[in-house]
């Protein structure tokens, strides 16, 4: 069952986290555009809660997108440019994600095939291969 969306802007991370991630981005945009210098405590807390939920969501989503880019043939420099991260950080986030996904069993199969990960590592070169 999908959680019920909070009424009004959430002022707690736990409430903001229940919003669909794409709606969350729109809500954050709309809230930030409407905020003024005279905005009160609840308005500021709502923006903070929305922002924190966006960051949390993206932190979990980004490694999957890095993997998708690697599968599509992007190189580390392109991904670093796209994310604003250093190449080493791109690799670190991707490795941490693939370490979990290759061990995660879904219906008797890993979420990500270890052979696919090894093929990407070989394509990226000796600095990436374990």
């Amino acid at each position: 069952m999908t959680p019920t969306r909070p009424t009004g802007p959430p002022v707690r991370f736990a409430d903001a986290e229940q919003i669909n991630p794409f709606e969350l981005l729109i809500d954050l945009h709309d809230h930030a555009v409407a905020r003024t210098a005279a905005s009160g405590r609840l308005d500021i807390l709502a923006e903070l809660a929305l922002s924190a939920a966006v960051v949390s969501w993206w932190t979990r989503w980004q490694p999957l997108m890095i993997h998708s880019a690697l599968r599509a043939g992007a190189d580390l420099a392109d991904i670093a440019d796209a994310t604003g991260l250093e190449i080493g950080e791109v690799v670190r986030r991707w490795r941490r994600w693939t370490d979990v996904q290759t061990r995660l069993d879904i219906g008797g199969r890993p979420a990500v095939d270890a052979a696919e990960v090894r093929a990407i590592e070989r394509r990226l070169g000796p600095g990436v291969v374990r």
Side-chain angles (χ1 to χ4, degrees):
M1 176 180 219
T2 304
T4 306
R5 183 183 162 93
T7 57
V11 295
R12 294 176 343 118
F13 173 77
D15 295 330
E17 189 177 39
Q18 299 303 310
I19 299 172
N20 172 292
F22 298 102
E23 289 180 32
L24 191 63
L25 291 168
I26 293 167
D27 289 356
L28 177 58
H29 169 269
D30 293 347
H31 194 79
V33 167
R35 185 173 46 81
T36 66
S39 292
R41 175 183 158 273
L42 292 179
D43 288 327
I44 300 301
L45 288 174
E47 188 170 336
L48 186 59
L50 292 167
S51 298
V54 166
V55 169
S56 175
W57 168 66
W58 185 243
T59 300
R60 293 185 308 266
W61 189 258
Q62 187 183 50
L64 168 63
M65 296 308 300
I66 289 170
H67 184 71
S68 296
L70 290 168
R71 286 178 62 198
D75 64 28
L76 290 173
D78 291 335
I79 295 169
D81 287 344
T83 60
L85 299 171
E86 297 291 327
I87 288 175
E89 182 62 17
V90 169
V91 171
R92 187 183 70 74
R93 290 180 188 197
W94 176 69
R95 280 193 186 288
R96 189 172 60 218
W97 181 83
T98 58
D99 287 347
V100 171
Q101 298 302 310
T102 55
R103 289 186 313 234
L104 181 62
D105 185 286
I106 300 176
R109 298 180 61 175
V112 173
D113 185 6
E116 176 182 90
V117 171
R118 286 190 302 273
I120 290 170
E121 288 174 333
R122 282 190 302 276
R123 179 174 59 84
L124 295 176
V128 176
V129 176
R130 294 178 196 243

